Amino acid sequence: MVLDKASCDLLQYLMDQETSKTIMAISKDLAQSRRKIYYHIDKINDALDDEKLHIISLPRIGIHLTEEQREACRQLLDEVDSYDYIMSANERMQLMLLLIGISKERITLEKLMELTEVSRNTVLNDLNTIRYQLTLEQYQVTLQVSKSRGYYLNAHPLNKIQYLQSLLYHIFMEENPAFVAILEEKIKERLDGEMLLSDEVNQFLKKQVPLVEQDLGKKINHHEVTFMLQVLPYLLLGCDTVTRNQDKHQEIDQEFSLIRKRIEYQVSNKLGERLFETFGISFSELDRSLLAILLLSYRKDRDIHAESKDFQHLRMALEEFIWYFESQTRMEIEQKEDLLRNLVIHCKALLFRKNYGIFSKNPLTRQIRSKYSELFVITKKCAEVLEETWQIRLTDDEIAYLTIHVGGFLKYTPSIQNNFKKIYIVCDEGVGVSKLLLKQCRFYLPNEQIGAVFTTEQFKSVEDITQVDLLITTNDELESRFPVLKVNPILEAEDILRITDFMKNKVLRKDGRTFKDNLSTIIGTYISDKHVAAKLQEEIQLLINQELVIQAFLDES
């Protein structure tokens, strides 16, 4: 059984689908030819021992996995290892770069061949590609080789850490889970005996999260915590490989001088002490400063220090931003103090990310720009006030986060009706996304009672003493005795139709064709060119979303 990246991607895609998908629809979604889709289905079926579990596309219906098939597919992905999985060229290069960046041992060509299980020429070609790609990066990192050191990354210490953090983000947040599992396995095998990569240290760090948050007086975003636990050991190993020669020593100390005045640095010291007491692992000064930077840079859901006088200049700039937003639009913001507090919490972390080059990406940017295009453009224009004050350039990812926060506080006028249903929202995507999702649900469900917005942990603590008609959630694995409707954080037309369907019929439909499928079929009847048809479908859906969502903000003003 040999599954490559594309096979695993298809397998994960099919497991995520709640309705039937035709081969044509799958082909469009994954940007692969139908022939390729059939080819990978055959490979998956070969790997499934029981013929009764084989994946079959039914005429005019497509593919829909049974629960038994889903379980078999989950086991198949869990069993994929380095002998079964064929890495793409990009995955090979990511694996080599990570090992070169964190390993204390001398990395030779032979070791890279053993690591990637490809020929000498293939590794040499990959290394040449890496050298070229590094010239396109902003971090000024180069790949060097010498007899004494083997292959190594040459850069200013802070630049190297920034680059490794960016590399780890792309690996753990964007790559195939099967590849990530193989990467972890191969790195741990190559760095055999490295305590930082052990399961014991991983469990220890997980248990430290509540203590760290308590010491900080802050609640770190759930997704940021998950990412930090995954990448922290690799970043610390990367710090250990940094050579701090004399001419760089004073420069690095100066760059980290402000960090050492923050509470995050004190908390980092405490965690280092507990790590040493438990495992004998020592934190260097660079390690402590790195962890403090990460704690400062990650998004927060709560921060008791948001009203601190230290950030008065931040608050004043954001007050001007809110005033400018209202003066330039027909939209009115309600609960301005709550919005201001949330923006202060968010922008504190944003500015530390900008100052220390910590890479972060907003997974909702494309959806925000598509479905809230007018609000996004207005926010971007108004954010020039912040850019000028803080002397920074905000990316579209950062503008999208501001759009989420502002969108959650635009004025809303509820309808009054006695025969309403009680609805709870469960969302682990952070305060900004939760607030915006609440705003969307209130607009589409004006006659229902949106009782509360919970994280999964909060909801589970009160589930047994509450009564609710429907749970609307962004979480994939939420289980409850109440009806659960999974939606995207930025509601798609499909989500809106499913919500209104439940309100009308009181039934969660799990079968039948989706709106997207029906639209694709209708367009395909009149347009044979699949690329033109796909483009038209995208534009129609965009128009529908704009009418459904953006107009809501304008009408309420």
Side-chain angles (χ1 to χ4, degrees):
M1 185 266 289
V2 181
L3 296 182
D4 58 12
K5 173 178 170 60
S7 304
C8 290
D9 284 344
L10 174 61
L11 197 55
Q12 188 65 54
Y13 171 88
L14 293 174
M15 290 169 56
D16 292 340
Q17 303 309 306
E18 296 183 0
T19 58
S20 300
K21 283 283 187 178
T22 64
I23 296 296
M24 179 175 288
I26 297 171
S27 171
K28 291 177 180 178
D29 288 347
L30 298 183
Q32 294 187 25
S33 67
R34 283 179 290 177
R35 182 178 63 82
K36 276 286 188 182
I37 299 299
Y38 281 117
Y39 168 73
H40 290 299
I41 288 175
D42 288 340
K43 288 175 67 174
I44 294 169
N45 285 338
D46 287 341
L48 294 169
D49 296 331
D50 190 346
E51 288 189 12
K52 296 178 182 178
L53 299 175
H54 281 191
I55 298 172
I56 300 172
S57 178
L58 300 176
R60 295 184 299 278
I61 296 176
I63 297 173
H64 182 64
L65 301 184
T66 64
E67 283 305 315
E68 192 176 8
Q69 285 176 312
R70 289 178 191 274
E71 183 57 34
C73 290
R74 286 191 197 98
Q75 293 178 9
L76 196 59
L77 281 177
D78 290 340
E79 292 168 2
V80 171
D81 57 32
S82 58
Y83 295 102
D84 302 319
Y85 185 90
I86 300 176
M87 288 183 286
S88 68
N90 187 59
E91 289 171 339
R92 285 197 311 271
M93 289 186 285
Q94 288 178 328
L95 177 58
M96 287 192 290
L97 272 167
L98 183 57
L99 180 65
I100 292 170
I102 69 173
S103 179
K104 300 173 189 175
E105 68 174 11
R106 180 170 168 265
I107 300 298
T108 63
L109 189 61
E110 288 69 27
K111 289 178 180 178
L112 294 177
M113 289 167 57
E114 182 182 345
L115 177 74
T116 56
E117 302 176 62
V118 294
S119 70
R120 183 185 187 88
N121 284 341
T122 301
V123 171
L124 287 172
N125 287 335
D126 286 345
L127 291 171
N128 286 333
T129 303
I130 287 172
R131 286 191 180 93
Y132 172 71
Q133 289 179 346
L134 287 175
T135 65
L136 306 178
E137 296 280 358
Q138 61 179 323
Y139 303 103
Q140 298 179 323
V141 175
T142 59
L143 177 63
Q144 305 287 341
V145 61
S146 68
K147 286 185 178 180
S148 60
R149 298 180 61 182
Y151 288 94
Y152 64 97
L153 296 180
N154 185 42
H156 183 283
L158 184 57
N159 284 22
K160 180 181 176 182
I161 292 170
Q162 291 169 342
Y163 175 72
L164 284 176
Q165 195 272 343
S166 172
L167 174 65
L168 289 164
Y169 187 97
H170 289 300
I171 291 172
F172 283 93
M173 300 297 281
E174 297 176 354
E175 289 295 342
N176 186 290
F179 166 65
V180 173
I182 290 166
L183 176 139
E184 292 178 313
E185 176 188 332
K186 282 181 171 289
I187 293 292
K188 188 179 291 187
E189 184 180 292
R190 174 55 60 184
L191 304 183
D192 186 32
E194 179 54 63
M195 182 60 72
L196 276 171
L197 298 177
S198 67
D199 293 336
E200 292 80 7
V201 169
N202 180 264
Q203 292 302 316
F204 172 83
L205 291 175
K206 286 182 179 178
K207 292 178 181 178
Q208 292 299 305
V209 171
L211 294 177
V212 168
E213 292 180 329
Q214 181 179 333
D215 290 342
L216 288 174
K218 303 174 184 181
K219 179 72 174 177
I220 305 173
N221 179 268
H222 168 74
H223 294 289
E224 305 276 59
V225 168
T226 302
F227 173 66
M228 182 174 71
L229 291 173
Q230 287 178 310
V231 306
L232 183 59
Y234 299 104
L235 287 172
L236 293 174
L237 288 172
C239 284
D240 290 343
T241 65
V242 169
T243 55
R244 297 181 60 189
N245 50 42
Q246 191 61 37
D247 62 326
K248 298 292 185 184
H249 185 90
Q250 187 174 356
E251 186 180 344
I252 295 172
D253 285 345
Q254 186 176 356
E255 287 175 342
F256 289 147
S257 60
L258 293 177
I259 291 295
R260 298 189 183 105
K261 299 176 182 178
R262 312 301 312 176
I263 189 174
E264 282 76 5
Y265 182 77
Q266 300 170 24
V267 172
S268 177
N269 276 334
K270 289 182 181 178
L271 179 59
E273 290 169 2
R274 293 196 289 266
L275 198 62
F276 181 77
E277 291 171 1
T278 308
F279 299 102
I281 297 174
S282 298
F283 265 14
S284 68
E285 181 59 34
L286 191 57
D287 291 333
R288 290 192 288 271
S289 298
L290 167 67
L291 181 55
I293 288 173
L294 295 180
L295 293 175
L296 284 163
S297 299
Y298 289 150
R299 291 181 295 125
K300 315 295 190 304
D301 291 338
R302 180 175 57 82
D303 183 354
I304 64 172
H305 307 292
E307 306 296 331
S308 169
K309 292 182 180 179
D310 292 349
F311 296 97
Q312 191 60 31
H313 67 287
L314 193 69
R315 185 181 180 89
M316 291 173 62
L318 289 168
E319 284 176 341
E320 184 179 356
F321 164 74
I322 292 173
W323 173 85
Y324 188 61
F325 181 94
E326 285 192 303
S327 69
Q328 297 297 309
T329 69
R330 294 186 290 114
M331 306 176 196
E332 183 180 347
I333 294 174
E334 58 183 358
Q335 298 175 322
K336 291 186 180 67
E337 278 301 313
D338 289 341
L339 171 60
L340 182 59
R341 182 174 59 254
N342 288 351
L343 285 175
V344 168
I345 294 171
H346 175 79
C347 290
K348 281 170 62 177
L350 183 152
L351 287 178
F352 278 108
R353 286 198 300 274
K354 301 294 282 188
N355 289 339
Y356 287 95
I358 300 300
F359 181 84
S360 180
K361 193 173 181 180
N362 186 345
L364 301 176
T365 298
R366 184 187 60 81
Q367 293 168 285
I368 289 287
R369 291 189 64 178
S370 172
K371 298 174 180 62
Y372 293 92
S373 58
E374 185 168 342
L375 182 60
F376 178 88
V377 170
I378 293 171
T379 304
K380 187 171 186 174
K381 177 64 178 175
C382 296
E384 291 176 1
V385 171
L386 303 177
E387 291 180 317
E388 183 177 350
T389 303
W390 296 334
Q391 295 296 297
I392 60 172
R393 176 70 180 272
L394 295 174
T395 66
D396 281 358
D397 286 322
E398 290 153 353
I399 296 295
Y401 275 127
L402 295 179
T403 305
I404 288 171
H405 280 286
V406 172
F409 283 89
L410 293 179
K411 189 172 182 180
Y412 153 75
T413 305
S415 300
I416 299 176
Q417 183 174 337
N418 293 327
N419 188 25
F420 56 74
K421 295 183 181 66
K422 192 172 185 180
I423 298 169
Y424 285 166
I425 295 173
V426 182
C427 179
D428 292 331
E429 306 289 335
V431 175
V433 174
S434 299
K435 188 73 177 177
L436 184 58
L437 181 58
L438 172 63
K439 179 67 64 174
Q440 295 173 86
C441 290
R442 279 179 169 171
F443 173 72
Y444 292 113
L445 303 169
N447 299 321
E448 314 303 340
Q449 180 187 9
I450 313 294
V453 180
F454 295 107
T455 63
T456 300
E457 182 181 358
Q458 290 168 341
F459 172 70
K460 285 300 181 182
S461 68
V462 299
E463 182 179 16
D464 57 340
I465 59 172
T466 192
Q467 187 62 42
V468 67
D469 295 295
L470 175 66
L471 296 174
I472 296 177
T473 181
T474 59
N475 307 340
D476 291 316
E477 300 176 355
L478 179 65
E479 295 182 357
S480 174
R481 59 192 175 94
F482 304 116
V484 178
L485 186 61
K486 166 69 171 62
V487 299
N488 294 290
I490 309 302
L491 293 180
E492 302 275 357
E494 197 68 52
D495 297 322
I496 298 163
L497 292 171
R498 291 172 62 223
I499 291 173
T500 53
D501 182 50
F502 177 83
M503 291 296 106
K504 181 179 178 181
N505 300 300
K506 301 180 183 178
V507 175
L508 291 174
R509 303 181 191 274
K510 295 186 178 181
D511 55 355
R513 288 169 58 81
T514 66
F515 170 79
K516 185 178 179 181
D517 291 334
N518 289 328
L519 181 60
S520 177
T521 301
I522 293 170
I523 293 175
T525 304
Y526 297 96
I527 301 176
S528 58
D529 188 318
K530 64 180 182 180
H531 297 294
V532 175
K535 182 64 176 175
L536 177 59
Q537 180 174 343
E538 181 181 345
E539 290 180 357
I540 291 175
Q541 287 181 302
L542 176 60
L543 179 62
I544 292 172
N545 286 326
Q546 286 176 337
E547 288 299 315
L548 287 174
V549 184
I550 299 175
Q551 194 61 41
F553 291 113
L554 300 177
D555 290 345
E556 289 175 6
S557 301

